[in-house]
Amino acid sequence: QAQLVSGGGSVQAGGSLGLSCVASGYVYCMGWFRQAPGKEREGVAAIDTGSTRTYYTDSVKGRFSVSQDISKNTVYLRMNSLKAEDTAMYYCAALTASCFGVPRSYEVEDWGQGTQVTVSS
């Protein structure tokens, strides 16, 4: 299962950015992850495509939003009120089973290329 992520870029604190992730096949759960320099990769959000339930880690709740367009096999991550600590390489990853929370990085078998998000304060 391949994923192609696009979007990202640089923005000032308080600004917004959007990411898109196109999967090559059906996705049960799409997770969004990020990895800042010197830190471990962490899950930040996810959407279970069957139930459309969304999940967020505490640090992004109320600021990030996940949505999907099944017809396009595409999942979106809208990031509002961005903070400097949101600066990281962002990845999307398709999971082969339904998710019931934000997935952990060890649950991902194939990582695509990421996209850089830089928030300046």
Side-chain angles (χ1 to χ4, degrees), residues 34-46:
R34 66 186 181 188
Q35 187 167 21
K39 294 188 176 182
E40 294 186 354
R41 192 169 298 184
E42 62 169 346
V44 296

Side-chain angles (χ1 to χ4, degrees), residues 15-113:
S16 299
L17 284 173
L19 305 180
S20 299
C21 179
V22 182
S24 60
Y26 182 78
V27 175
Y28 289 89
C29 170
M30 185 70 84
W32 286 99
F33 299 79
R34 66 186 181 188
Q35 187 167 21
K39 294 188 176 182
E40 294 186 354
R41 192 169 298 184
E42 62 169 346
V44 296
I47 183 166
D48 183 85
T49 60
S51 67
T52 70
R53 289 178 180 161
T54 56
Y55 305 95
Y56 304 93
T57 194
D58 286 347
S59 61
V60 307
K61 280 181 181 177
R63 301 189 298 120
F64 288 16
S65 177
V66 182
S67 60
Q68 65 181 12
D69 185 337
I70 291 296
S71 67
K72 298 180 180 179
N73 266 8
T74 301
V75 173
Y76 306 94
L77 181 67
R78 182 65 181 174
M79 304 179 291
N80 297 323
S81 301
L82 282 162
K83 305 175 181 180
E85 50 263 45
D86 294 318
T87 295
M89 187 71 78
Y90 282 72
Y91 302 85
C92 64
L95 281 77
T96 56
S98 297
C99 52
F100 301 93
V102 177
R104 305 292 181 91
S105 58
Y106 63 76
E107 298 178 65
V108 178
E109 296 181 357
D110 297 310
W111 293 100
Q113 94 288 1

